[in-house]
Amino acid sequence: MFCELFFLFTVVSLLELAVIIKVGSYLGAFTTILIIVATAVLGAYLAQMEGLQILFRLQAELRAGRMPSDILIVGLLVLAGGLLLLTPGFITDTLGFLLIIPFSRRWFRERLKTYFRYKIEVHYFRSTSNRRM
């Protein structure tokens, strides 16, 4: 867990800084800052719109008496995408937009479902094997 957090907060930040410096050297500081602010504003707007649609779908699923598992995962992805878009940088903005856009979000949703399924199976098999002893 420490390594993952170290990677997220240190390595990604250093990569972001390097990309911002490189882009700034081509476009200039003002244009680079303007692009970063514009992507944050656009990202917040898109996250809000997608979030409202997800909320409406969630309410519809609950009213119909269905378990909204896919919608909850999509909501988590949109929330993560919105947070990434609010973080200054081009790498996080790219990943944030990919998480918010429905077309690319499907790929992430399926990977996350596979990951959750794996975690549940591993936990289930561990807990059942401990009961047999």
Side-chain angles (χ1 to χ4, degrees):
M1 183 69 164
F2 173 76
C3 290
E4 289 90 359
L5 290 176
F6 178 79
F7 176 78
L8 283 174
F9 291 114
T10 305
V11 176
V12 172
S13 297
L14 292 173
L15 287 172
E16 285 288 11
L17 187 57
V19 171
I20 289 171
I21 290 170
K22 194 69 163 172
V23 170
S25 70
Y26 287 118
L27 300 178
F30 180 75
T31 306
T32 303
I33 292 170
L34 189 64
I35 290 170
I36 290 171
V37 170
T39 58
V41 170
L42 178 63
Y45 175 76
L46 289 175
Q48 181 182 13
M49 292 297 106
E50 286 295 317
L52 287 173
Q53 288 180 2
I54 290 166
L55 180 62
F56 296 143
R57 286 179 26 211
L58 177 65
Q59 290 172 340
E61 290 288 315
L62 291 174
R63 277 194 302 274
R66 293 188 294 264
M67 181 62 95
S69 60
D70 276 356
I71 296 170
L72 292 175
I73 292 172
V74 168
L76 175 70
L77 292 172
V78 169
L79 175 65
L83 291 173
L84 286 169
L85 283 165
L86 291 175
T87 305
F90 294 103
I91 299 169
T92 54
D93 285 350
T94 302
L95 183 56
F97 278 120
L98 289 173
L99 290 174
I100 288 181
I101 298 169
F103 175 74
S104 58
R105 190 173 56 221
R106 282 187 212 113
W107 185 85
F108 288 101
R109 184 191 69 208
E110 294 307 314
R111 301 291 105 32
L112 199 54
K113 282 171 56 175
T114 302
Y115 173 77
F116 286 153
R117 194 173 299 119
Y118 169 76
K119 285 294 196 181
I120 289 169
E121 288 172 358
V122 167
H123 177 72
Y124 174 75
F125 287 124
R126 280 187 188 163
S127 65
T128 58
S129 66
N130 289 341
R131 288 183 198 156
R132 290 182 197 159
M133 291 181 177

